[in-house]
Amino acid sequence: MREIIAILRGIDPTEAVDVAGTLIEAGITRIEVPLNSPSPFASIEAMAEAHGAVAQIGAGTVLGVEDVRKVRDCGGQMVVSPNCDPEVIEATRAAGMDSYPGVLTPTECFAALKAGATALKVFPAFQMGIDGLKALRAVLPVETRVYMVGGVGPDGFRDWLAAGAAGFGIGTSLYRPGDAPDDVAPRAARMVAAWDAAQA
């Protein structure tokens, strides 16, 4: 599985299944719908029903425990947050879903791991930078997976991975509100090609 999480901020439920299908066809099989999108739970439910057997579908910008329950109830498999909230992390793991809390400092990283986070989402990645990631990796448990989100693009994949990143969350470089599958397809292909090249 390629360690790219597609962030479909602003997607509408009428578009969600087709856009998700385009991403999956290109080779991106982790997809989140931020909860500040239009009718996000409807999008997640439709995507999970259509594609849940071949992709991990979930929610982003999850800030509270009640929303964790809603994600689970509509078939979501992962919860991504912009912040580190131990209650959200614990509720997500108790519901059998993967938890990707947002962190930026060592204190937040270790609090997230203590609460049971599946992996860490460094946000915004550009603020930490590659040197910051290298320093952070020196103190994190070696098995910790770190995903970089915010200001990261395919041209930098190789350098971030060399610094210790496990993967990336990609938003507007893949999808902007109103984009059709034909808009998304070439961007997704470029991301996948960059990921594959960075592994070589």
PDB file of all heavy atoms in Angstrom, residues 140-170:
ATOM      1  N   LEU A 140      11.933   9.601  18.801  1.00  0.00           N
ATOM      2  CA  LEU A 140      10.725   8.782  18.733  1.00  0.00           C
ATOM      3  C   LEU A 140      11.067   7.295  18.726  1.00  0.00           C
ATOM      4  O   LEU A 140      12.125   6.902  18.228  1.00  0.00           O
ATOM      5  CB  LEU A 140       9.929   9.104  17.457  1.00  0.00           C
ATOM      6  CG  LEU A 140       9.204  10.436  17.387  1.00  0.00           C
ATOM      7  CD1 LEU A 140       8.560  10.600  16.015  1.00  0.00           C
ATOM      8  CD2 LEU A 140       8.152  10.553  18.489  1.00  0.00           C
ATOM      9  N   PRO A 141      10.166   6.458  19.244  1.00  0.00           N
ATOM     10  CA  PRO A 141      10.367   5.014  19.089  1.00  0.00           C
ATOM     11  C   PRO A 141      10.545   4.669  17.611  1.00  0.00           C
ATOM     12  O   PRO A 141       9.869   5.233  16.743  1.00  0.00           O
ATOM     13  CB  PRO A 141       9.068   4.420  19.646  1.00  0.00           C
ATOM     14  CG  PRO A 141       8.561   5.453  20.603  1.00  0.00           C
ATOM     15  CD  PRO A 141       8.938   6.771  20.010  1.00  0.00           C
ATOM     16  N   VAL A 142      11.451   3.748  17.333  1.00  0.00           N
ATOM     17  CA  VAL A 142      11.836   3.477  15.951  1.00  0.00           C
ATOM     18  C   VAL A 142      10.662   3.005  15.100  1.00  0.00           C
ATOM     19  O   VAL A 142      10.613   3.254  13.891  1.00  0.00           O
ATOM     20  CB  VAL A 142      13.007   2.460  15.911  1.00  0.00           C
ATOM     21  CG1 VAL A 142      12.545   1.084  16.390  1.00  0.00           C
ATOM     22  CG2 VAL A 142      13.608   2.371  14.521  1.00  0.00           C
ATOM     23  N   GLU A 143       9.691   2.355  15.735  1.00  0.00           N
ATOM     24  CA  GLU A 143       8.556   1.821  14.962  1.00  0.00           C
ATOM     25  C   GLU A 143       7.476   2.857  14.676  1.00  0.00           C
ATOM     26  O   GLU A 143       6.518   2.592  13.941  1.00  0.00           O
ATOM     27  CB  GLU A 143       7.923   0.633  15.711  1.00  0.00           C
ATOM     28  CG  GLU A 143       7.192   0.998  16.992  1.00  0.00           C
ATOM     29  CD  GLU A 143       8.087   1.086  18.223  1.00  0.00           C
ATOM     30  OE1 GLU A 143       9.325   1.080  18.070  1.00  0.00           O
ATOM     31  OE2 GLU A 143       7.531   1.170  19.342  1.00  0.00           O
ATOM     32  N   THR A 144       7.613   4.072  15.204  1.00  0.00           N
ATOM     33  CA  THR A 144       6.597   5.107  15.005  1.00  0.00           C
ATOM     34  C   THR A 144       6.523   5.521  13.540  1.00  0.00           C
ATOM     35  O   THR A 144       7.543   5.835  12.921  1.00  0.00           O
ATOM     36  CB  THR A 144       6.918   6.348  15.855  1.00  0.00           C
ATOM     37  OG1 THR A 144       7.044   5.960  17.221  1.00  0.00           O
ATOM     38  CG2 THR A 144       5.815   7.387  15.727  1.00  0.00           C
ATOM     39  N   ARG A 145       5.306   5.526  12.998  1.00  0.00           N
ATOM     40  CA  ARG A 145       5.107   5.981  11.627  1.00  0.00           C
ATOM     41  C   ARG A 145       4.656   7.448  11.658  1.00  0.00           C
ATOM     42  O   ARG A 145       3.747   7.811  12.390  1.00  0.00           O
ATOM     43  CB  ARG A 145       4.073   5.111  10.910  1.00  0.00           C
ATOM     44  CG  ARG A 145       4.608   3.702  10.644  1.00  0.00           C
ATOM     45  CD  ARG A 145       3.656   2.888   9.798  1.00  0.00           C
ATOM     46  NE  ARG A 145       2.389   2.685  10.487  1.00  0.00           N
ATOM     47  CZ  ARG A 145       1.194   2.765   9.900  1.00  0.00           C
ATOM     48  NH1 ARG A 145       1.102   3.062   8.623  1.00  0.00           N
ATOM     49  NH2 ARG A 145       0.102   2.546  10.597  1.00  0.00           N
ATOM     50  N   VAL A 146       5.305   8.261  10.844  1.00  0.00           N
ATOM     51  CA  VAL A 146       5.059   9.698  10.828  1.00  0.00           C
ATOM     52  C   VAL A 146       4.640  10.108   9.414  1.00  0.00           C
ATOM     53  O   VAL A 146       5.358   9.826   8.448  1.00  0.00           O
ATOM     54  CB  VAL A 146       6.318  10.481  11.250  1.00  0.00           C
ATOM     55  CG1 VAL A 146       6.053  11.981  11.211  1.00  0.00           C
ATOM     56  CG2 VAL A 146       6.769  10.062  12.642  1.00  0.00           C
ATOM     57  N   TYR A 147       3.493  10.764   9.329  1.00  0.00           N
ATOM     58  CA  TYR A 147       2.978  11.246   8.044  1.00  0.00           C
ATOM     59  C   TYR A 147       3.083  12.770   8.024  1.00  0.00           C
ATOM     60  O   TYR A 147       2.675  13.438   8.968  1.00  0.00           O
ATOM     61  CB  TYR A 147       1.509  10.824   7.859  1.00  0.00           C
ATOM     62  CG  TYR A 147       1.364   9.345   7.641  1.00  0.00           C
ATOM     63  CD1 TYR A 147       1.476   8.459   8.703  1.00  0.00           C
ATOM     64  CD2 TYR A 147       1.137   8.821   6.374  1.00  0.00           C
ATOM     65  CE1 TYR A 147       1.375   7.090   8.519  1.00  0.00           C
ATOM     66  CE2 TYR A 147       1.029   7.460   6.169  1.00  0.00           C
ATOM     67  CZ  TYR A 147       1.145   6.604   7.243  1.00  0.00           C
ATOM     68  OH  TYR A 147       1.055   5.245   7.049  1.00  0.00           O
ATOM     69  N   MET A 148       3.612  13.288   6.938  1.00  0.00           N
ATOM     70  CA  MET A 148       3.814  14.729   6.806  1.00  0.00           C
ATOM     71  C   MET A 148       2.650  15.328   6.025  1.00  0.00           C
ATOM     72  O   MET A 148       2.318  14.842   4.931  1.00  0.00           O
ATOM     73  CB  MET A 148       5.134  15.011   6.101  1.00  0.00           C
ATOM     74  CG  MET A 148       6.338  14.265   6.688  1.00  0.00           C
ATOM     75  SD  MET A 148       6.560  14.461   8.482  1.00  0.00           S
ATOM     76  CE  MET A 148       7.004  16.203   8.573  1.00  0.00           C
ATOM     77  N   VAL A 149       2.066  16.390   6.563  1.00  0.00           N
ATOM     78  CA  VAL A 149       0.889  17.010   5.950  1.00  0.00           C
ATOM     79  C   VAL A 149       1.026  18.524   6.009  1.00  0.00           C
ATOM     80  O   VAL A 149       1.342  19.082   7.064  1.00  0.00           O
ATOM     81  CB  VAL A 149      -0.413  16.580   6.679  1.00  0.00           C
ATOM     82  CG1 VAL A 149      -1.631  17.188   5.990  1.00  0.00           C
ATOM     83  CG2 VAL A 149      -0.523  15.064   6.745  1.00  0.00           C
ATOM     84  N   GLY A 150       0.801  19.174   4.880  1.00  0.00           N
ATOM     85  CA  GLY A 150       0.842  20.630   4.846  1.00  0.00           C
ATOM     86  C   GLY A 150       2.110  21.159   4.204  1.00  0.00           C
ATOM     87  O   GLY A 150       3.167  21.177   4.821  1.00  0.00           O
ATOM     88  N   GLY A 151       2.009  21.522   2.933  1.00  0.00           N
ATOM     89  CA  GLY A 151       3.168  22.048   2.231  1.00  0.00           C
ATOM     90  C   GLY A 151       4.097  20.987   1.675  1.00  0.00           C
ATOM     91  O   GLY A 151       5.248  21.282   1.351  1.00  0.00           O
ATOM     92  N   VAL A 152       3.593  19.745   1.575  1.00  0.00           N
ATOM     93  CA  VAL A 152       4.402  18.643   1.049  1.00  0.00           C
ATOM     94  C   VAL A 152       3.883  18.271  -0.330  1.00  0.00           C
ATOM     95  O   VAL A 152       2.668  18.144  -0.530  1.00  0.00           O
ATOM     96  CB  VAL A 152       4.325  17.420   1.978  1.00  0.00           C
ATOM     97  CG1 VAL A 152       5.102  16.258   1.394  1.00  0.00           C
ATOM     98  CG2 VAL A 152       4.850  17.777   3.364  1.00  0.00           C
ATOM     99  N   GLY A 153       4.792  18.085  -1.282  1.00  0.00           N
ATOM    100  CA  GLY A 153       4.389  17.698  -2.635  1.00  0.00           C
ATOM    101  C   GLY A 153       5.295  16.627  -3.185  1.00  0.00           C
ATOM    102  O   GLY A 153       6.305  16.256  -2.564  1.00  0.00           O
ATOM    103  N   PRO A 154       4.971  16.135  -4.360  1.00  0.00           N
ATOM    104  CA  PRO A 154       5.707  15.001  -4.922  1.00  0.00           C
ATOM    105  C   PRO A 154       7.185  15.274  -5.159  1.00  0.00           C
ATOM    106  O   PRO A 154       8.004  14.355  -5.068  1.00  0.00           O
ATOM    107  CB  PRO A 154       4.971  14.716  -6.240  1.00  0.00           C
ATOM    108  CG  PRO A 154       4.227  15.968  -6.556  1.00  0.00           C
ATOM    109  CD  PRO A 154       3.868  16.568  -5.243  1.00  0.00           C
ATOM    110  N   ASP A 155       7.540  16.521  -5.414  1.00  0.00           N
ATOM    111  CA  ASP A 155       8.952  16.825  -5.654  1.00  0.00           C
ATOM    112  C   ASP A 155       9.817  16.604  -4.417  1.00  0.00           C
ATOM    113  O   ASP A 155      11.028  16.424  -4.533  1.00  0.00           O
ATOM    114  CB  ASP A 155       9.114  18.275  -6.141  1.00  0.00           C
ATOM    115  CG  ASP A 155       8.492  18.502  -7.512  1.00  0.00           C
ATOM    116  OD1 ASP A 155       8.268  17.511  -8.229  1.00  0.00           O
ATOM    117  OD2 ASP A 155       8.218  19.668  -7.847  1.00  0.00           O
ATOM    118  N   GLY A 156       9.183  16.627  -3.248  1.00  0.00           N
ATOM    119  CA  GLY A 156       9.946  16.472  -2.011  1.00  0.00           C
ATOM    120  C   GLY A 156       9.833  15.106  -1.367  1.00  0.00           C
ATOM    121  O   GLY A 156      10.419  14.881  -0.295  1.00  0.00           O
ATOM    122  N   PHE A 157       9.105  14.179  -1.979  1.00  0.00           N
ATOM    123  CA  PHE A 157       8.873  12.882  -1.342  1.00  0.00           C
ATOM    124  C   PHE A 157      10.184  12.208  -0.931  1.00  0.00           C
ATOM    125  O   PHE A 157      10.329  11.730   0.187  1.00  0.00           O
ATOM    126  CB  PHE A 157       8.102  11.950  -2.279  1.00  0.00           C
ATOM    127  CG  PHE A 157       6.622  12.200  -2.354  1.00  0.00           C
ATOM    128  CD1 PHE A 157       5.829  11.436  -3.202  1.00  0.00           C
ATOM    129  CD2 PHE A 157       6.002  13.181  -1.588  1.00  0.00           C
ATOM    130  CE1 PHE A 157       4.466  11.647  -3.285  1.00  0.00           C
ATOM    131  CE2 PHE A 157       4.628  13.409  -1.667  1.00  0.00           C
ATOM    132  CZ  PHE A 157       3.865  12.634  -2.520  1.00  0.00           C
ATOM    133  N   ARG A 158      11.120  12.153  -1.847  1.00  0.00           N
ATOM    134  CA  ARG A 158      12.350  11.412  -1.569  1.00  0.00           C
ATOM    135  C   ARG A 158      13.084  11.974  -0.349  1.00  0.00           C
ATOM    136  O   ARG A 158      13.551  11.227   0.519  1.00  0.00           O
ATOM    137  CB  ARG A 158      13.263  11.433  -2.801  1.00  0.00           C
ATOM    138  CG  ARG A 158      14.488  10.520  -2.664  1.00  0.00           C
ATOM    139  CD  ARG A 158      15.383  10.633  -3.887  1.00  0.00           C
ATOM    140  NE  ARG A 158      14.721  10.227  -5.116  1.00  0.00           N
ATOM    141  CZ  ARG A 158      14.641   8.954  -5.536  1.00  0.00           C
ATOM    142  NH1 ARG A 158      15.188   7.997  -4.812  1.00  0.00           N
ATOM    143  NH2 ARG A 158      14.029   8.668  -6.672  1.00  0.00           N
ATOM    144  N   ASP A 159      13.187  13.306  -0.258  1.00  0.00           N
ATOM    145  CA  ASP A 159      13.910  13.926   0.849  1.00  0.00           C
ATOM    146  C   ASP A 159      13.201  13.698   2.184  1.00  0.00           C
ATOM    147  O   ASP A 159      13.851  13.436   3.206  1.00  0.00           O
ATOM    148  CB  ASP A 159      14.085  15.423   0.605  1.00  0.00           C
ATOM    149  CG  ASP A 159      15.044  15.724  -0.539  1.00  0.00           C
ATOM    150  OD1 ASP A 159      15.852  14.833  -0.880  1.00  0.00           O
ATOM    151  OD2 ASP A 159      14.991  16.837  -1.083  1.00  0.00           O
ATOM    152  N   TRP A 160      11.874  13.804   2.186  1.00  0.00           N
ATOM    153  CA  TRP A 160      11.117  13.575   3.420  1.00  0.00           C
ATOM    154  C   TRP A 160      11.238  12.119   3.872  1.00  0.00           C
ATOM    155  O   TRP A 160      11.420  11.851   5.060  1.00  0.00           O
ATOM    156  CB  TRP A 160       9.648  13.923   3.218  1.00  0.00           C
ATOM    157  CG  TRP A 160       9.333  15.386   3.209  1.00  0.00           C
ATOM    158  CD1 TRP A 160       8.993  16.155   2.141  1.00  0.00           C
ATOM    159  CD2 TRP A 160       9.306  16.271   4.342  1.00  0.00           C
ATOM    160  NE1 TRP A 160       8.758  17.456   2.531  1.00  0.00           N
ATOM    161  CE2 TRP A 160       8.943  17.551   3.869  1.00  0.00           C
ATOM    162  CE3 TRP A 160       9.551  16.098   5.703  1.00  0.00           C
ATOM    163  CZ2 TRP A 160       8.822  18.649   4.712  1.00  0.00           C
ATOM    164  CZ3 TRP A 160       9.428  17.193   6.560  1.00  0.00           C
ATOM    165  CH2 TRP A 160       9.076  18.451   6.054  1.00  0.00           C
ATOM    166  N   LEU A 161      11.147  11.193   2.935  1.00  0.00           N
ATOM    167  CA  LEU A 161      11.265   9.773   3.289  1.00  0.00           C
ATOM    168  C   LEU A 161      12.656   9.478   3.835  1.00  0.00           C
ATOM    169  O   LEU A 161      12.806   8.728   4.809  1.00  0.00           O
ATOM    170  CB  LEU A 161      10.961   8.898   2.073  1.00  0.00           C
ATOM    171  CG  LEU A 161       9.498   8.908   1.600  1.00  0.00           C
ATOM    172  CD1 LEU A 161       9.365   8.218   0.243  1.00  0.00           C
ATOM    173  CD2 LEU A 161       8.583   8.235   2.625  1.00  0.00           C
ATOM    174  N   ALA A 162      13.677  10.081   3.230  1.00  0.00           N
ATOM    175  CA  ALA A 162      15.047   9.883   3.712  1.00  0.00           C
ATOM    176  C   ALA A 162      15.224  10.429   5.124  1.00  0.00           C
ATOM    177  O   ALA A 162      16.043   9.911   5.903  1.00  0.00           O
ATOM    178  CB  ALA A 162      16.034  10.546   2.760  1.00  0.00           C
ATOM    179  N   ALA A 163      14.443  11.456   5.469  1.00  0.00           N
ATOM    180  CA  ALA A 163      14.534  12.055   6.810  1.00  0.00           C
ATOM    181  C   ALA A 163      13.750  11.274   7.851  1.00  0.00           C
ATOM    182  O   ALA A 163      13.840  11.579   9.048  1.00  0.00           O
ATOM    183  CB  ALA A 163      14.033  13.497   6.762  1.00  0.00           C
ATOM    184  N   GLY A 164      12.958  10.295   7.402  1.00  0.00           N
ATOM    185  CA  GLY A 164      12.249   9.453   8.363  1.00  0.00           C
ATOM    186  C   GLY A 164      10.741   9.472   8.275  1.00  0.00           C
ATOM    187  O   GLY A 164      10.056   8.871   9.108  1.00  0.00           O
ATOM    188  N   ALA A 165      10.177  10.147   7.278  1.00  0.00           N
ATOM    189  CA  ALA A 165       8.725  10.113   7.091  1.00  0.00           C
ATOM    190  C   ALA A 165       8.300   8.735   6.608  1.00  0.00           C
ATOM    191  O   ALA A 165       9.023   8.055   5.878  1.00  0.00           O
ATOM    192  CB  ALA A 165       8.300  11.172   6.082  1.00  0.00           C
ATOM    193  N   ALA A 166       7.093   8.333   7.022  1.00  0.00           N
ATOM    194  CA  ALA A 166       6.515   7.082   6.532  1.00  0.00           C
ATOM    195  C   ALA A 166       5.601   7.326   5.338  1.00  0.00           C
ATOM    196  O   ALA A 166       5.407   6.454   4.498  1.00  0.00           O
ATOM    197  CB  ALA A 166       5.724   6.395   7.643  1.00  0.00           C
ATOM    198  N   GLY A 167       5.010   8.535   5.286  1.00  0.00           N
ATOM    199  CA  GLY A 167       4.075   8.831   4.207  1.00  0.00           C
ATOM    200  C   GLY A 167       3.602  10.265   4.277  1.00  0.00           C
ATOM    201  O   GLY A 167       4.167  11.094   5.025  1.00  0.00           O
ATOM    202  N   PHE A 168       2.535  10.548   3.527  1.00  0.00           N
ATOM    203  CA  PHE A 168       2.100  11.927   3.330  1.00  0.00           C
ATOM    204  C   PHE A 168       0.572  12.032   3.276  1.00  0.00           C
ATOM    205  O   PHE A 168      -0.105  11.115   2.812  1.00  0.00           O
ATOM    206  CB  PHE A 168       2.671  12.473   2.009  1.00  0.00           C
ATOM    207  CG  PHE A 168       4.151  12.302   1.902  1.00  0.00           C
ATOM    208  CD1 PHE A 168       4.704  11.217   1.234  1.00  0.00           C
ATOM    209  CD2 PHE A 168       5.014  13.202   2.515  1.00  0.00           C
ATOM    210  CE1 PHE A 168       6.074  11.032   1.165  1.00  0.00           C
ATOM    211  CE2 PHE A 168       6.384  13.025   2.448  1.00  0.00           C
ATOM    212  CZ  PHE A 168       6.928  11.939   1.778  1.00  0.00           C
ATOM    213  N   GLY A 169       0.074  13.164   3.724  1.00  0.00           N
ATOM    214  CA  GLY A 169      -1.307  13.538   3.474  1.00  0.00           C
ATOM    215  C   GLY A 169      -1.297  14.642   2.431  1.00  0.00           C
ATOM    216  O   GLY A 169      -0.585  15.641   2.583  1.00  0.00           O
ATOM    217  N   ILE A 170      -2.070  14.447   1.361  1.00  0.00           N
ATOM    218  CA  ILE A 170      -2.054  15.381   0.227  1.00  0.00           C
ATOM    219  C   ILE A 170      -3.472  15.905  -0.017  1.00  0.00           C
ATOM    220  O   ILE A 170      -4.406  15.126  -0.223  1.00  0.00           O
ATOM    221  CB  ILE A 170      -1.540  14.691  -1.055  1.00  0.00           C
ATOM    222  CG1 ILE A 170      -0.167  14.058  -0.835  1.00  0.00           C
ATOM    223  CG2 ILE A 170      -1.512  15.691  -2.201  1.00  0.00           C
ATOM    224  CD1 ILE A 170       0.956  15.026  -0.606  1.00  0.00           C
TER     225      ILE A 170
END
